[in-house]
Amino acid sequence: DKTLDIISEYSKKGTLNFIFLDKTSNLGYNKNYERALKACNAEYVAILEGDDYWTDPLKLQKQVDWLEKHDEYVMSHSNCLCFNQSTGKFTHDKIENKKVEIGCNLSCEDIIRYPRIVMTLTVVIRKSVLDKIIVSDPFIFDSGNFLLGDIPRWYSASRMGKIHFLSDITSVYRELNSSASHIKGFKNRYKFSVSAQGLRAYLCRRDNLSTDLSALIERRYANVLLHHLVLNPDYKPVVP
């Protein structure tokens, strides 16, 4: 499509204050993320990926105001709606009640245990914290070993300080059949699941997380890894 041409045109008009990073090559998700982060020079970073959008015009202000007043908090996230592209219907996030229940007491183990407990499009995080996170573990952030980059970022942030939860619905997460978390085909789905659960298993082992959580994650990982190996016998696990 002509997305890059449109963005380039707006960048030349000067009516919107943004930096256009032209796509010179296919860097992959994590490398492209790092490139965008290095271009940021503000105190806070909010992330909005191509398929999603914000609905609350005060979203960023509410979250930044909280972080400005509470130094012990390193990050803020909120509720969101989900829009199914196939059905055209909006729904509340399946884990919304759990988010409300946990509130501002989100732990690193919660992030491992509950998928989608933090939705990336709702996050505002201190830039200084994010800078520390991306150099904290090269096996995760500098290797291309894993398909998910958001889980280890929010997990790491929760170990560096408190996570604020804004109960307002501020955003819409668009569910597409072809997106990273909605992959067609058994082989591709298991490949994604192995990467996601392998990452969780690695974090449980590295940080000696609780016995019950570690056992749960190891079972999940073993299950998807077995299915993946049946479909791809030559696969060599990144996390044995």
Side-chain angles (χ1 to χ4, degrees):
D1 59 22
K2 296 183 179 180
T3 300
L4 293 181
D5 293 336
I6 295 171
I7 295 173
S8 179
E9 182 180 343
Y10 271 98
S11 70
K12 294 173 183 176
K13 288 181 178 179
T15 53
L16 293 174
N17 185 18
F18 69 94
I19 299 172
F20 173 42
L21 301 178
D22 197 0
K23 179 183 178 183
T24 56
S25 62
N26 188 359
L27 300 176
Y29 176 81
N30 285 324
K31 291 296 182 182
N32 194 48
Y33 185 97
E34 289 178 22
R35 182 178 70 142
L37 180 61
K38 289 177 181 177
C40 296
N41 57 12
E43 188 174 351
Y44 300 99
V45 174
I47 301 163
L48 185 64
E49 297 170 326
D51 301 335
D52 310 322
Y53 58 97
W54 296 329
T55 56
D56 185 346
L58 296 178
K59 171 194 183 297
L60 300 180
Q61 192 65 61
K62 292 173 183 176
Q63 294 176 291
V64 169
D65 283 349
W66 178 274
L67 293 171
E68 285 284 292
K69 295 174 182 176
H70 301 85
D71 292 340
E72 70 273 25
Y73 285 80
V74 297
M75 187 179 104
S76 173
H77 72 116
S78 74
N79 266 326
C80 67
L81 292 178
C82 300
F83 176 71
N84 188 295
Q85 189 76 17
S86 299
T87 64
K89 294 182 178 180
F90 290 91
T91 59
H92 286 266
D93 191 10
K94 295 177 181 178
I95 201 168
E96 181 176 310
N97 290 338
K98 179 57 69 173
K99 293 179 185 179
V100 173
E101 176 189 329
I102 293 173
C104 291
N105 297 311
L106 187 71
S107 70
C108 64
E109 294 207 354
D110 291 328
I111 293 173
I112 297 293
R113 187 184 299 272
Y114 302 113
R116 293 171 54 148
I117 194 69
V118 174
M119 297 294 278
T120 297
L121 74 159
T122 73
V123 166
V124 173
I125 186 170
R126 297 185 191 276
K127 172 72 160 48
S128 59
V129 171
L130 205 47
D131 286 339
K132 292 176 183 177
I133 289 172
I134 63 173
V135 297
S136 62
D137 189 335
F139 182 71
I140 295 177
F141 299 110
D142 196 36
S143 64
N145 285 329
F146 301 103
L147 299 176
L148 285 177
D150 48 359
I151 289 176
R153 290 186 189 101
W154 316 147
Y155 170 89
S156 300
S158 70
R159 293 172 66 85
M160 298 171 68
K162 294 182 178 181
I163 306 291
H164 169 245
F165 175 65
L166 176 66
S167 60
D168 298 358
I169 293 174
T170 67
S171 318
V172 171
Y173 173 72
R174 194 185 297 268
E175 296 178 327
L176 303 172
N177 289 332
S178 59
S179 67
S181 56
H182 296 85
I183 298 173
K184 289 185 176 180
F186 284 114
K187 285 189 176 182
N188 287 331
R189 282 207 298 272
Y190 279 119
K191 179 181 179 181
F192 183 84
S193 295
V194 164
S195 182
Q197 297 303 333
L199 170 62
R200 290 178 171 91
Y202 170 76
L203 291 172
C204 285
R205 297 172 190 177
R206 187 194 72 180
D207 297 328
N208 295 313
L209 299 186
S210 64
T211 302
D212 66 317
L213 176 62
S214 296
L216 172 66
I217 296 303
E218 292 291 349
R219 287 196 301 271
R220 289 178 181 174
Y221 181 45
N223 180 55
V224 295
L225 181 58
L226 177 61
H227 283 83
H228 189 54
L229 287 171
V230 169
L231 296 170
N232 301 274
D234 297 327
Y235 173 73
K236 299 293 188 295
V238 172
V239 180

